[in-house]
Amino acid sequence: MRKDNREALLAEFFEVSQVMTRAWKQSHFALLDEAEVTLSPAQAGVLFMVEHHNQQSGQELAHKLHISKSATTQLLDGLETEGYIARKTSAADRRVTHIVLQDKGYEMLQLLKAKRQELLSRITHSMTDQEL
């Protein structure tokens, strides 16, 4: 493949991926609004991360999310205030605090997963198996 063809294809791919990302986000936000979800995308991401890596510290979360410790603390404070997560002191080391999901956090994750599945179904319902 010639270099100029390759670059043109890459540029087109990049443009299409940006359009798809914008469409996904707009659809996602619309579904969350329909469900009256009051979490920010960042807060929802933290809930998914806590579910996947339960009982980790705020510092570990910050590292995995690639955000600052102070930004992580702000997100966790909001989630804790709303009852989605709790901070538990480690039995092994009292200096360490682990983040754990509360029942309300699990319930929200179930709603978010259902809405994500609904969005994927809306997007893919008219696609053929080959297109998928």
Side-chain angles (χ1 to χ4, degrees):
M1 178 183 293
R2 291 185 12 203
K3 186 176 180 179
D4 54 336
N5 285 346
R6 183 174 186 267
E7 289 176 6
L9 283 172
L10 286 173
E12 187 175 343
F13 173 77
F14 182 69
E15 185 178 329
V16 168
S17 68
Q18 286 182 318
V19 168
M20 289 178 68
T21 299
R22 278 193 300 275
W24 170 265
K25 285 181 180 178
Q26 289 171 346
S27 298
H28 192 250
F29 290 141
L31 274 176
L32 293 179
D33 285 345
E34 280 177 28
E36 298 180 5
V37 172
T38 58
L39 293 180
S40 71
Q43 288 174 315
V46 169
L47 284 183
F48 279 106
M49 185 66 73
V50 170
E51 178 190 41
H52 187 67
H53 302 282
N54 203 17
Q55 298 268 340
Q56 61 188 329
S57 70
Q59 184 173 354
E60 291 167 325
L61 267 174
H63 178 73
K64 288 182 173 123
L65 292 167
H66 304 286
I67 60 176
S68 69
K69 292 176 197 170
S70 61
T72 304
T73 298
Q74 271 189 309
L75 288 168
L76 293 175
D77 286 348
L79 291 169
E80 185 176 33
T81 298
E82 293 298 319
Y84 294 109
I85 58 116
R87 291 175 166 110
K88 302 287 182 187
T89 304
S90 169
D93 185 346
R94 292 182 304 158
R95 296 171 295 173
V96 177
T97 303
H98 294 288
I99 311 305
V100 294
L101 282 174
Q102 298 291 83
D103 289 341
K104 187 174 178 181
Y106 283 111
E107 290 167 9
M108 178 56 72
L109 282 170
Q110 295 310 308
L111 175 64
L112 291 171
K113 289 174 185 179
K115 290 298 175 184
R116 180 174 56 191
Q117 187 59 46
E118 183 181 330
L119 176 59
L120 288 172
S121 295
R122 285 184 187 182
I123 292 170
T124 60
H125 83 277
S126 62
M127 294 178 144
T128 65
D129 288 343
Q130 187 177 9
E131 289 172 324
L132 289 172

PDB file of all heavy atoms in Angstrom, residues 90-124:
ATOM      1  N   SER A  90      -8.392  -0.729  56.507  1.00  0.00           N
ATOM      2  CA  SER A  90      -7.812  -2.059  56.351  1.00  0.00           C
ATOM      3  C   SER A  90      -7.550  -2.688  57.713  1.00  0.00           C
ATOM      4  O   SER A  90      -7.030  -2.035  58.623  1.00  0.00           O
ATOM      5  CB  SER A  90      -6.497  -1.963  55.570  1.00  0.00           C
ATOM      6  OG  SER A  90      -5.798  -3.184  55.616  1.00  0.00           O
ATOM      7  N   ALA A  91      -7.888  -3.953  57.842  1.00  0.00           N
ATOM      8  CA  ALA A  91      -7.613  -4.675  59.088  1.00  0.00           C
ATOM      9  C   ALA A  91      -6.114  -4.914  59.244  1.00  0.00           C
ATOM     10  O   ALA A  91      -5.593  -4.947  60.354  1.00  0.00           O
ATOM     11  CB  ALA A  91      -8.358  -6.001  59.109  1.00  0.00           C
ATOM     12  N   ALA A  92      -5.426  -5.052  58.127  1.00  0.00           N
ATOM     13  CA  ALA A  92      -3.992  -5.335  58.149  1.00  0.00           C
ATOM     14  C   ALA A  92      -3.150  -4.082  58.408  1.00  0.00           C
ATOM     15  O   ALA A  92      -2.078  -4.162  59.003  1.00  0.00           O
ATOM     16  CB  ALA A  92      -3.563  -5.980  56.838  1.00  0.00           C
ATOM     17  N   ASP A  93      -3.635  -2.914  57.954  1.00  0.00           N
ATOM     18  CA  ASP A  93      -2.864  -1.681  58.096  1.00  0.00           C
ATOM     19  C   ASP A  93      -3.844  -0.519  58.241  1.00  0.00           C
ATOM     20  O   ASP A  93      -4.485  -0.116  57.271  1.00  0.00           O
ATOM     21  CB  ASP A  93      -1.975  -1.491  56.851  1.00  0.00           C
ATOM     22  CG  ASP A  93      -1.047  -0.294  56.968  1.00  0.00           C
ATOM     23  OD1 ASP A  93      -1.246   0.550  57.873  1.00  0.00           O
ATOM     24  OD2 ASP A  93      -0.127  -0.190  56.140  1.00  0.00           O
ATOM     25  N   ARG A  94      -3.958   0.024  59.444  1.00  0.00           N
ATOM     26  CA  ARG A  94      -4.936   1.069  59.709  1.00  0.00           C
ATOM     27  C   ARG A  94      -4.695   2.347  58.917  1.00  0.00           C
ATOM     28  O   ARG A  94      -5.562   3.195  58.826  1.00  0.00           O
ATOM     29  CB  ARG A  94      -4.971   1.393  61.206  1.00  0.00           C
ATOM     30  CG  ARG A  94      -5.532   0.261  62.028  1.00  0.00           C
ATOM     31  CD  ARG A  94      -5.605   0.611  63.482  1.00  0.00           C
ATOM     32  NE  ARG A  94      -4.272   1.012  63.974  1.00  0.00           N
ATOM     33  CZ  ARG A  94      -4.057   1.753  65.045  1.00  0.00           C
ATOM     34  NH1 ARG A  94      -5.069   2.176  65.756  1.00  0.00           N
ATOM     35  NH2 ARG A  94      -2.835   2.054  65.420  1.00  0.00           N
ATOM     36  N   ARG A  95      -3.516   2.480  58.323  1.00  0.00           N
ATOM     37  CA  ARG A  95      -3.224   3.668  57.506  1.00  0.00           C
ATOM     38  C   ARG A  95      -3.875   3.577  56.130  1.00  0.00           C
ATOM     39  O   ARG A  95      -3.981   4.571  55.426  1.00  0.00           O
ATOM     40  CB  ARG A  95      -1.712   3.834  57.332  1.00  0.00           C
ATOM     41  CG  ARG A  95      -0.974   4.107  58.631  1.00  0.00           C
ATOM     42  CD  ARG A  95       0.510   4.043  58.419  1.00  0.00           C
ATOM     43  NE  ARG A  95       0.867   2.667  58.046  1.00  0.00           N
ATOM     44  CZ  ARG A  95       2.065   2.273  57.655  1.00  0.00           C
ATOM     45  NH1 ARG A  95       3.040   3.145  57.563  1.00  0.00           N
ATOM     46  NH2 ARG A  95       2.300   1.014  57.352  1.00  0.00           N
ATOM     47  N   VAL A  96      -4.308   2.384  55.752  1.00  0.00           N
ATOM     48  CA  VAL A  96      -4.883   2.152  54.421  1.00  0.00           C
ATOM     49  C   VAL A  96      -6.401   2.092  54.503  1.00  0.00           C
ATOM     50  O   VAL A  96      -6.958   1.433  55.383  1.00  0.00           O
ATOM     51  CB  VAL A  96      -4.333   0.833  53.817  1.00  0.00           C
ATOM     52  CG1 VAL A  96      -4.975   0.540  52.472  1.00  0.00           C
ATOM     53  CG2 VAL A  96      -2.819   0.883  53.702  1.00  0.00           C
ATOM     54  N   THR A  97      -7.041   2.783  53.590  1.00  0.00           N
ATOM     55  CA  THR A  97      -8.502   2.771  53.495  1.00  0.00           C
ATOM     56  C   THR A  97      -8.898   2.154  52.164  1.00  0.00           C
ATOM     57  O   THR A  97      -8.405   2.562  51.111  1.00  0.00           O
ATOM     58  CB  THR A  97      -9.066   4.202  53.584  1.00  0.00           C
ATOM     59  OG1 THR A  97      -8.631   4.782  54.803  1.00  0.00           O
ATOM     60  CG2 THR A  97     -10.573   4.202  53.530  1.00  0.00           C
ATOM     61  N   HIS A  98      -9.761   1.165  52.224  1.00  0.00           N
ATOM     62  CA  HIS A  98     -10.231   0.490  51.008  1.00  0.00           C
ATOM     63  C   HIS A  98     -11.592   1.046  50.606  1.00  0.00           C
ATOM     64  O   HIS A  98     -12.409   1.402  51.454  1.00  0.00           O
ATOM     65  CB  HIS A  98     -10.361  -1.024  51.231  1.00  0.00           C
ATOM     66  CG  HIS A  98      -9.053  -1.693  51.479  1.00  0.00           C
ATOM     67  ND1 HIS A  98      -8.117  -1.891  50.492  1.00  0.00           N
ATOM     68  CD2 HIS A  98      -8.519  -2.203  52.607  1.00  0.00           C
ATOM     69  CE1 HIS A  98      -7.064  -2.498  50.992  1.00  0.00           C
ATOM     70  NE2 HIS A  98      -7.278  -2.700  52.289  1.00  0.00           N
ATOM     71  N   ILE A  99     -11.826   1.075  49.297  1.00  0.00           N
ATOM     72  CA  ILE A  99     -13.095   1.549  48.751  1.00  0.00           C
ATOM     73  C   ILE A  99     -13.951   0.325  48.443  1.00  0.00           C
ATOM     74  O   ILE A  99     -13.504  -0.586  47.741  1.00  0.00           O
ATOM     75  CB  ILE A  99     -12.874   2.367  47.459  1.00  0.00           C
ATOM     76  CG1 ILE A  99     -11.794   3.434  47.651  1.00  0.00           C
ATOM     77  CG2 ILE A  99     -14.191   2.956  46.972  1.00  0.00           C
ATOM     78  CD1 ILE A  99     -12.012   4.380  48.791  1.00  0.00           C
ATOM     79  N   VAL A 100     -15.170   0.299  48.959  1.00  0.00           N
ATOM     80  CA  VAL A 100     -16.082  -0.830  48.717  1.00  0.00           C
ATOM     81  C   VAL A 100     -17.433  -0.303  48.255  1.00  0.00           C
ATOM     82  O   VAL A 100     -17.871   0.774  48.659  1.00  0.00           O
ATOM     83  CB  VAL A 100     -16.257  -1.714  49.978  1.00  0.00           C
ATOM     84  CG1 VAL A 100     -14.953  -2.402  50.345  1.00  0.00           C
ATOM     85  CG2 VAL A 100     -16.772  -0.909  51.142  1.00  0.00           C
ATOM     86  N   LEU A 101     -18.078  -1.082  47.403  1.00  0.00           N
ATOM     87  CA  LEU A 101     -19.408  -0.726  46.927  1.00  0.00           C
ATOM     88  C   LEU A 101     -20.446  -0.991  48.003  1.00  0.00           C
ATOM     89  O   LEU A 101     -20.376  -1.987  48.717  1.00  0.00           O
ATOM     90  CB  LEU A 101     -19.772  -1.549  45.692  1.00  0.00           C
ATOM     91  CG  LEU A 101     -19.164  -1.113  44.370  1.00  0.00           C
ATOM     92  CD1 LEU A 101     -19.501  -2.122  43.280  1.00  0.00           C
ATOM     93  CD2 LEU A 101     -19.628   0.270  43.972  1.00  0.00           C
ATOM     94  N   GLN A 102     -21.409  -0.110  48.102  1.00  0.00           N
ATOM     95  CA  GLN A 102     -22.570  -0.302  48.952  1.00  0.00           C
ATOM     96  C   GLN A 102     -23.694  -0.877  48.085  1.00  0.00           C
ATOM     97  O   GLN A 102     -23.589  -0.914  46.861  1.00  0.00           O
ATOM     98  CB  GLN A 102     -23.007   1.030  49.563  1.00  0.00           C
ATOM     99  CG  GLN A 102     -21.948   1.664  50.450  1.00  0.00           C
ATOM    100  CD  GLN A 102     -21.732   0.862  51.720  1.00  0.00           C
ATOM    101  OE1 GLN A 102     -20.998  -0.108  51.736  1.00  0.00           O
ATOM    102  NE2 GLN A 102     -22.391   1.266  52.780  1.00  0.00           N
ATOM    103  N   ASP A 103     -24.782  -1.296  48.707  1.00  0.00           N
ATOM    104  CA  ASP A 103     -25.920  -1.827  47.956  1.00  0.00           C
ATOM    105  C   ASP A 103     -26.404  -0.844  46.897  1.00  0.00           C
ATOM    106  O   ASP A 103     -26.697  -1.228  45.761  1.00  0.00           O
ATOM    107  CB  ASP A 103     -27.077  -2.178  48.888  1.00  0.00           C
ATOM    108  CG  ASP A 103     -26.783  -3.401  49.744  1.00  0.00           C
ATOM    109  OD1 ASP A 103     -25.868  -4.182  49.389  1.00  0.00           O
ATOM    110  OD2 ASP A 103     -27.472  -3.587  50.767  1.00  0.00           O
ATOM    111  N   LYS A 104     -26.463   0.433  47.255  1.00  0.00           N
ATOM    112  CA  LYS A 104     -26.913   1.453  46.300  1.00  0.00           C
ATOM    113  C   LYS A 104     -25.965   1.517  45.097  1.00  0.00           C
ATOM    114  O   LYS A 104     -26.400   1.747  43.965  1.00  0.00           O
ATOM    115  CB  LYS A 104     -26.990   2.816  46.993  1.00  0.00           C
ATOM    116  CG  LYS A 104     -27.603   3.899  46.148  1.00  0.00           C
ATOM    117  CD  LYS A 104     -27.770   5.184  46.944  1.00  0.00           C
ATOM    118  CE  LYS A 104     -28.333   6.299  46.082  1.00  0.00           C
ATOM    119  NZ  LYS A 104     -28.489   7.554  46.821  1.00  0.00           N
ATOM    120  N   GLY A 105     -24.673   1.300  45.327  1.00  0.00           N
ATOM    121  CA  GLY A 105     -23.701   1.284  44.233  1.00  0.00           C
ATOM    122  C   GLY A 105     -23.922   0.109  43.298  1.00  0.00           C
ATOM    123  O   GLY A 105     -23.875   0.250  42.069  1.00  0.00           O
ATOM    124  N   TYR A 106     -24.183  -1.070  43.879  1.00  0.00           N
ATOM    125  CA  TYR A 106     -24.484  -2.254  43.060  1.00  0.00           C
ATOM    126  C   TYR A 106     -25.759  -2.041  42.245  1.00  0.00           C
ATOM    127  O   TYR A 106     -25.818  -2.396  41.065  1.00  0.00           O
ATOM    128  CB  TYR A 106     -24.629  -3.508  43.930  1.00  0.00           C
ATOM    129  CG  TYR A 106     -23.316  -4.076  44.402  1.00  0.00           C
ATOM    130  CD1 TYR A 106     -22.956  -4.008  45.747  1.00  0.00           C
ATOM    131  CD2 TYR A 106     -22.442  -4.689  43.515  1.00  0.00           C
ATOM    132  CE1 TYR A 106     -21.747  -4.532  46.187  1.00  0.00           C
ATOM    133  CE2 TYR A 106     -21.232  -5.214  43.943  1.00  0.00           C
ATOM    134  CZ  TYR A 106     -20.891  -5.129  45.279  1.00  0.00           C
ATOM    135  OH  TYR A 106     -19.689  -5.650  45.708  1.00  0.00           O
ATOM    136  N   GLU A 107     -26.769  -1.445  42.868  1.00  0.00           N
ATOM    137  CA  GLU A 107     -28.027  -1.184  42.159  1.00  0.00           C
ATOM    138  C   GLU A 107     -27.801  -0.226  40.988  1.00  0.00           C
ATOM    139  O   GLU A 107     -28.347  -0.422  39.893  1.00  0.00           O
ATOM    140  CB  GLU A 107     -29.073  -0.614  43.120  1.00  0.00           C
ATOM    141  CG  GLU A 107     -29.565  -1.623  44.134  1.00  0.00           C
ATOM    142  CD  GLU A 107     -30.360  -0.994  45.272  1.00  0.00           C
ATOM    143  OE1 GLU A 107     -30.684   0.223  45.202  1.00  0.00           O
ATOM    144  OE2 GLU A 107     -30.648  -1.710  46.250  1.00  0.00           O
ATOM    145  N   MET A 108     -27.004   0.816  41.211  1.00  0.00           N
ATOM    146  CA  MET A 108     -26.720   1.772  40.147  1.00  0.00           C
ATOM    147  C   MET A 108     -25.953   1.093  39.016  1.00  0.00           C
ATOM    148  O   MET A 108     -26.226   1.336  37.836  1.00  0.00           O
ATOM    149  CB  MET A 108     -25.935   2.969  40.690  1.00  0.00           C
ATOM    150  CG  MET A 108     -25.572   3.987  39.616  1.00  0.00           C
ATOM    151  SD  MET A 108     -26.966   4.649  38.665  1.00  0.00           S
ATOM    152  CE  MET A 108     -27.738   5.688  39.884  1.00  0.00           C
ATOM    153  N   LEU A 109     -25.010   0.239  39.351  1.00  0.00           N
ATOM    154  CA  LEU A 109     -24.264  -0.470  38.318  1.00  0.00           C
ATOM    155  C   LEU A 109     -25.177  -1.354  37.475  1.00  0.00           C
ATOM    156  O   LEU A 109     -25.018  -1.430  36.255  1.00  0.00           O
ATOM    157  CB  LEU A 109     -23.144  -1.313  38.946  1.00  0.00           C
ATOM    158  CG  LEU A 109     -21.909  -0.526  39.351  1.00  0.00           C
ATOM    159  CD1 LEU A 109     -20.977  -1.405  40.184  1.00  0.00           C
ATOM    160  CD2 LEU A 109     -21.182   0.025  38.132  1.00  0.00           C
ATOM    161  N   GLN A 110     -26.138  -1.992  38.112  1.00  0.00           N
ATOM    162  CA  GLN A 110     -27.086  -2.818  37.353  1.00  0.00           C
ATOM    163  C   GLN A 110     -27.894  -1.960  36.383  1.00  0.00           C
ATOM    164  O   GLN A 110     -28.113  -2.344  35.231  1.00  0.00           O
ATOM    165  CB  GLN A 110     -28.011  -3.595  38.301  1.00  0.00           C
ATOM    166  CG  GLN A 110     -27.295  -4.626  39.149  1.00  0.00           C
ATOM    167  CD  GLN A 110     -26.399  -5.541  38.336  1.00  0.00           C
ATOM    168  OE1 GLN A 110     -26.814  -6.132  37.354  1.00  0.00           O
ATOM    169  NE2 GLN A 110     -25.148  -5.649  38.743  1.00  0.00           N
ATOM    170  N   LEU A 111     -28.317  -0.795  36.842  1.00  0.00           N
ATOM    171  CA  LEU A 111     -29.047   0.130  35.978  1.00  0.00           C
ATOM    172  C   LEU A 111     -28.166   0.600  34.818  1.00  0.00           C
ATOM    173  O   LEU A 111     -28.591   0.609  33.661  1.00  0.00           O
ATOM    174  CB  LEU A 111     -29.550   1.330  36.781  1.00  0.00           C
ATOM    175  CG  LEU A 111     -30.231   2.441  35.975  1.00  0.00           C
ATOM    176  CD1 LEU A 111     -31.507   1.929  35.313  1.00  0.00           C
ATOM    177  CD2 LEU A 111     -30.527   3.637  36.865  1.00  0.00           C
ATOM    178  N   LEU A 112     -26.929   0.981  35.121  1.00  0.00           N
ATOM    179  CA  LEU A 112     -26.007   1.449  34.085  1.00  0.00           C
ATOM    180  C   LEU A 112     -25.732   0.358  33.053  1.00  0.00           C
ATOM    181  O   LEU A 112     -25.691   0.627  31.850  1.00  0.00           O
ATOM    182  CB  LEU A 112     -24.699   1.932  34.714  1.00  0.00           C
ATOM    183  CG  LEU A 112     -24.782   3.210  35.542  1.00  0.00           C
ATOM    184  CD1 LEU A 112     -23.473   3.444  36.280  1.00  0.00           C
ATOM    185  CD2 LEU A 112     -25.146   4.401  34.680  1.00  0.00           C
ATOM    186  N   LYS A 113     -25.564  -0.871  33.521  1.00  0.00           N
ATOM    187  CA  LYS A 113     -25.321  -1.983  32.595  1.00  0.00           C
ATOM    188  C   LYS A 113     -26.539  -2.238  31.712  1.00  0.00           C
ATOM    189  O   LYS A 113     -26.410  -2.489  30.513  1.00  0.00           O
ATOM    190  CB  LYS A 113     -24.945  -3.242  33.374  1.00  0.00           C
ATOM    191  CG  LYS A 113     -23.574  -3.177  33.986  1.00  0.00           C
ATOM    192  CD  LYS A 113     -23.316  -4.395  34.866  1.00  0.00           C
ATOM    193  CE  LYS A 113     -22.001  -4.291  35.592  1.00  0.00           C
ATOM    194  NZ  LYS A 113     -21.754  -5.440  36.469  1.00  0.00           N
ATOM    195  N   ALA A 114     -27.725  -2.150  32.295  1.00  0.00           N
ATOM    196  CA  ALA A 114     -28.955  -2.349  31.519  1.00  0.00           C
ATOM    197  C   ALA A 114     -29.097  -1.244  30.468  1.00  0.00           C
ATOM    198  O   ALA A 114     -29.458  -1.510  29.314  1.00  0.00           O
ATOM    199  CB  ALA A 114     -30.171  -2.371  32.443  1.00  0.00           C
ATOM    200  N   LYS A 115     -28.788  -0.010  30.838  1.00  0.00           N
ATOM    201  CA  LYS A 115     -28.886   1.107  29.903  1.00  0.00           C
ATOM    202  C   LYS A 115     -27.830   0.992  28.802  1.00  0.00           C
ATOM    203  O   LYS A 115     -28.093   1.304  27.646  1.00  0.00           O
ATOM    204  CB  LYS A 115     -28.764   2.452  30.630  1.00  0.00           C
ATOM    205  CG  LYS A 115     -29.965   2.767  31.483  1.00  0.00           C
ATOM    206  CD  LYS A 115     -31.206   2.866  30.611  1.00  0.00           C
ATOM    207  CE  LYS A 115     -32.464   3.062  31.386  1.00  0.00           C
ATOM    208  NZ  LYS A 115     -33.649   3.069  30.518  1.00  0.00           N
ATOM    209  N   ARG A 116     -26.644   0.519  29.167  1.00  0.00           N
ATOM    210  CA  ARG A 116     -25.602   0.315  28.154  1.00  0.00           C
ATOM    211  C   ARG A 116     -26.039  -0.754  27.161  1.00  0.00           C
ATOM    212  O   ARG A 116     -25.881  -0.598  25.959  1.00  0.00           O
ATOM    213  CB  ARG A 116     -24.283  -0.080  28.825  1.00  0.00           C
ATOM    214  CG  ARG A 116     -23.151  -0.304  27.840  1.00  0.00           C
ATOM    215  CD  ARG A 116     -21.836  -0.558  28.524  1.00  0.00           C
ATOM    216  NE  ARG A 116     -21.935  -1.676  29.438  1.00  0.00           N
ATOM    217  CZ  ARG A 116     -21.009  -1.989  30.324  1.00  0.00           C
ATOM    218  NH1 ARG A 116     -19.923  -1.259  30.435  1.00  0.00           N
ATOM    219  NH2 ARG A 116     -21.166  -3.026  31.109  1.00  0.00           N
ATOM    220  N   GLN A 117     -26.637  -1.834  27.662  1.00  0.00           N
ATOM    221  CA  GLN A 117     -27.120  -2.896  26.783  1.00  0.00           C
ATOM    222  C   GLN A 117     -28.241  -2.384  25.884  1.00  0.00           C
ATOM    223  O   GLN A 117     -28.303  -2.708  24.703  1.00  0.00           O
ATOM    224  CB  GLN A 117     -27.596  -4.097  27.597  1.00  0.00           C
ATOM    225  CG  GLN A 117     -27.957  -5.294  26.759  1.00  0.00           C
ATOM    226  CD  GLN A 117     -26.795  -5.772  25.910  1.00  0.00           C
ATOM    227  OE1 GLN A 117     -25.670  -5.891  26.376  1.00  0.00           O
ATOM    228  NE2 GLN A 117     -27.055  -6.026  24.645  1.00  0.00           N
ATOM    229  N   GLU A 118     -29.123  -1.560  26.453  1.00  0.00           N
ATOM    230  CA  GLU A 118     -30.212  -0.966  25.669  1.00  0.00           C
ATOM    231  C   GLU A 118     -29.650  -0.099  24.542  1.00  0.00           C
ATOM    232  O   GLU A 118     -30.125  -0.150  23.402  1.00  0.00           O
ATOM    233  CB  GLU A 118     -31.100  -0.131  26.589  1.00  0.00           C
ATOM    234  CG  GLU A 118     -32.299   0.483  25.917  1.00  0.00           C
ATOM    235  CD  GLU A 118     -33.129   1.323  26.885  1.00  0.00           C
ATOM    236  OE1 GLU A 118     -33.152   1.021  28.096  1.00  0.00           O
ATOM    237  OE2 GLU A 118     -33.750   2.287  26.399  1.00  0.00           O
ATOM    238  N   LEU A 119     -28.633   0.683  24.846  1.00  0.00           N
ATOM    239  CA  LEU A 119     -28.010   1.528  23.836  1.00  0.00           C
ATOM    240  C   LEU A 119     -27.370   0.690  22.739  1.00  0.00           C
ATOM    241  O   LEU A 119     -27.544   0.968  21.551  1.00  0.00           O
ATOM    242  CB  LEU A 119     -26.969   2.446  24.486  1.00  0.00           C
ATOM    243  CG  LEU A 119     -26.165   3.339  23.544  1.00  0.00           C
ATOM    244  CD1 LEU A 119     -27.086   4.259  22.748  1.00  0.00           C
ATOM    245  CD2 LEU A 119     -25.155   4.152  24.330  1.00  0.00           C
ATOM    246  N   LEU A 120     -26.652  -0.352  23.120  1.00  0.00           N
ATOM    247  CA  LEU A 120     -26.031  -1.226  22.117  1.00  0.00           C
ATOM    248  C   LEU A 120     -27.092  -1.882  21.237  1.00  0.00           C
ATOM    249  O   LEU A 120     -26.915  -2.015  20.023  1.00  0.00           O
ATOM    250  CB  LEU A 120     -25.166  -2.294  22.790  1.00  0.00           C
ATOM    251  CG  LEU A 120     -23.864  -1.795  23.393  1.00  0.00           C
ATOM    252  CD1 LEU A 120     -23.193  -2.896  24.205  1.00  0.00           C
ATOM    253  CD2 LEU A 120     -22.933  -1.285  22.314  1.00  0.00           C
ATOM    254  N   SER A 121     -28.200  -2.270  21.838  1.00  0.00           N
ATOM    255  CA  SER A 121     -29.289  -2.875  21.063  1.00  0.00           C
ATOM    256  C   SER A 121     -29.876  -1.874  20.078  1.00  0.00           C
ATOM    257  O   SER A 121     -30.172  -2.227  18.933  1.00  0.00           O
ATOM    258  CB  SER A 121     -30.389  -3.392  21.994  1.00  0.00           C
ATOM    259  OG  SER A 121     -29.897  -4.441  22.772  1.00  0.00           O
ATOM    260  N   ARG A 122     -30.055  -0.637  20.513  1.00  0.00           N
ATOM    261  CA  ARG A 122     -30.568   0.409  19.617  1.00  0.00           C
ATOM    262  C   ARG A 122     -29.629   0.622  18.433  1.00  0.00           C
ATOM    263  O   ARG A 122     -30.080   0.813  17.308  1.00  0.00           O
ATOM    264  CB  ARG A 122     -30.743   1.729  20.354  1.00  0.00           C
ATOM    265  CG  ARG A 122     -31.926   1.796  21.261  1.00  0.00           C
ATOM    266  CD  ARG A 122     -32.035   3.180  21.851  1.00  0.00           C
ATOM    267  NE  ARG A 122     -33.064   3.256  22.870  1.00  0.00           N
ATOM    268  CZ  ARG A 122     -33.377   4.376  23.509  1.00  0.00           C
ATOM    269  NH1 ARG A 122     -32.762   5.500  23.254  1.00  0.00           N
ATOM    270  NH2 ARG A 122     -34.329   4.359  24.421  1.00  0.00           N
ATOM    271  N   ILE A 123     -28.342   0.618  18.708  1.00  0.00           N
ATOM    272  CA  ILE A 123     -27.354   0.883  17.666  1.00  0.00           C
ATOM    273  C   ILE A 123     -27.266  -0.282  16.688  1.00  0.00           C
ATOM    274  O   ILE A 123     -27.167  -0.097  15.485  1.00  0.00           O
ATOM    275  CB  ILE A 123     -25.966   1.170  18.286  1.00  0.00           C
ATOM    276  CG1 ILE A 123     -25.999   2.508  19.033  1.00  0.00           C
ATOM    277  CG2 ILE A 123     -24.871   1.172  17.230  1.00  0.00           C
ATOM    278  CD1 ILE A 123     -24.778   2.777  19.869  1.00  0.00           C
ATOM    279  N   THR A 124     -27.326  -1.488  17.202  1.00  0.00           N
ATOM    280  CA  THR A 124     -27.061  -2.660  16.365  1.00  0.00           C
ATOM    281  C   THR A 124     -28.299  -3.367  15.837  1.00  0.00           C
ATOM    282  O   THR A 124     -28.174  -4.302  15.058  1.00  0.00           O
ATOM    283  CB  THR A 124     -26.220  -3.692  17.146  1.00  0.00           C
ATOM    284  OG1 THR A 124     -26.947  -4.104  18.311  1.00  0.00           O
ATOM    285  CG2 THR A 124     -24.872  -3.110  17.541  1.00  0.00           C
TER     286      THR A 124
END
